[in-house]
Amino acid sequence: MIILSIETSCDETAVSLLKFEGLAGKTAVTILGNALFSQVDIHKEYGGVFPMLAKREHSKNLIPLMKKVLEEAGLENTKKQEVRNKRDASIENIKTILEKEFELQKQFLEYIPSLEKPSIDAIAVTHGPGLEPALWVGVSFAKALSTFWDIPVVPTNHMEGHVAVALLEEKVSEQKNQPTFAIKEVAYPALALLISGGHTELVLMPSAGEYQLVGQTRDDALGEAFDKVARVLGLPYPGGPEISKLAQEDRKKRPDATVSKYTLPRPMIHSKDFDFSFSGIKTAVLYMVQKIQTVTSDIQIQIARQFEDAVTEVIISKTKKALEHTGAQTLILGGGVVANTYIRKSFENLAESLPGLKLQIPRISHTTDNAIMIGIAGYHRYMAGIRGDTNTMRAEGNLKLSK
Ligand code: KG4
Ligand code: ZN
């Protein structure tokens, strides 16, 4: 079966087309088409994501991305002229569904009715969590496509996408630049550590599709802390990759700097629960920088490294405790912060020290927001019989993964 997936929860507009089939007793997924437009350069000026701007950009970019994936997948077939001119009754419906997304409405009506209905079985769309104005664009687009082509829509949780994409095994084949991955069978119970710009949580999965919150941040998300500390250090948005680069420079320069003038606190590392807190560490960096007055590039790399060391120690320690507490057999990492090389390495070391534990880390290109992850989570939902109602489906900014 073929799933079209749409992601617009934050500042990446993404669309993909995935084919799912059985392969040697396992499910295999082929990426027929994948397109992503990152709005980072647009939001940089504001030092963070500006929701109404994100909404406008999604509205502008969805159709071009859709066109690109249909072309890549070989599913873009234009109708013959005489058929195209016939007035479609559902056009009025589409106008209403997209009435708040002016640019998208215009491009949709120019492009979609010119196509033969592609052989797509379902449309998976992120309906939360995320920035509500941004989510609405994807949700409305999915509703419009579902209505126009009469294809079922599957509302999908963004965080479940981050979990699902971590379960892709190594490539099993590659044809026409369309890689095929097998979906890994997970040993349950599994524990997921989700670290992104909006979330930091430890979630227990007793079985597939079942989520229980074990711990979460009480203030800033980890990615947010990276972004805020970067801003204090005068680095551009998003801060995660910037901090990571500088921290690596410092590790090269001072391989043994376990003791530093710039050591930072490890908030809540000894607390009995599985919660996190990252806002104190950001404030500590702020005070440190205010006291120093002139932050040279050498001091900058030291602080970046100390920050990365401190937060990594906290997440490793809490995850280890949660693994012991829950008896999880698999550890799944998900979210944009998993792009961080030092954090990845630290979890690989942790897994090596815990015999029997299976570690699932997504490849770096799948860590930050993309539509592939939504397609995979959407597939599992589709198979579980979940369908959205185009009349009632809505964006849910605070959607939770666990009940
Ligand atoms: O999952 P994601 O793409 O979007 C959300 O769902 O929030 O995560 C984005 C977050 C940003 O805060 C960004 O700074 C962080 O992931 N990030 C990183 C790295 N790459 C992205 N944090 C640390 N190290 C990185 N290399
Ligand atoms: Zn995300």
Side-chain angles (χ1 to χ4, degrees), residues 277-291:
S277 166
F278 295 112
S279 73
I281 195 162
K282 168 209 69 197
T283 312
V285 174
L286 183 67
Y287 288 156
M288 197 180 260
V289 167
Q290 280 170 349
K291 246 182 26 212

Side-chain angles (χ1 to χ4, degrees), residues 158 162 196 369 373:
H158 179 86
H162 278 304
S196 69
D369 294 350
M373 63 187 224

Side-chain angles (χ1 to χ4, degrees), residues 12 158 162 196-198 223-224 226-227 238-241 244 335-337 339-341 367-369:
E12 323 280 356
H158 179 86
H162 278 304
S196 69
E224 193 181 354
F226 267 94
D227 296 337
S244 165
V337 183
N340 186 288
T341 341
T367 52
T368 45
D369 294 350

Side-chain angles (χ1 to χ4, degrees), residues 319-375:
T319 305
K320 195 171 169 202
K321 247 193 276 186
L323 285 168
E324 285 159 9
H325 179 77
T326 58
Q329 298 185 45
T330 307
L331 173 62
I332 300 170
L333 301 186
V337 183
V338 184
N340 186 288
T341 341
Y342 183 69
I343 291 177
R344 294 172 79 88
K345 187 78 204 132
S346 304
F347 276 97
E348 278 157 11
N349 293 342
L350 173 72
E352 266 170 38
S353 75
L354 300 171
L357 179 75
K358 290 181 200 70
L359 176 65
Q360 289 298 136
I361 306 192
R363 63 212 69 234
I364 289 184
S365 60
H366 292 169
T367 52
T368 45
D369 294 350
N370 60 82
I372 294 171
M373 63 187 224
I374 303 307

Side-chain angles (χ1 to χ4, degrees), residues 5 139 359:
S5 57
V139 168
L359 176 65

Side-chain angles (χ1 to χ4, degrees), residues 34 146 155 161 260 285 347 364 403:
N34 181 42
S146 167
S260 160
V285 174
F347 276 97
I364 289 184
K403 309 262 144 26

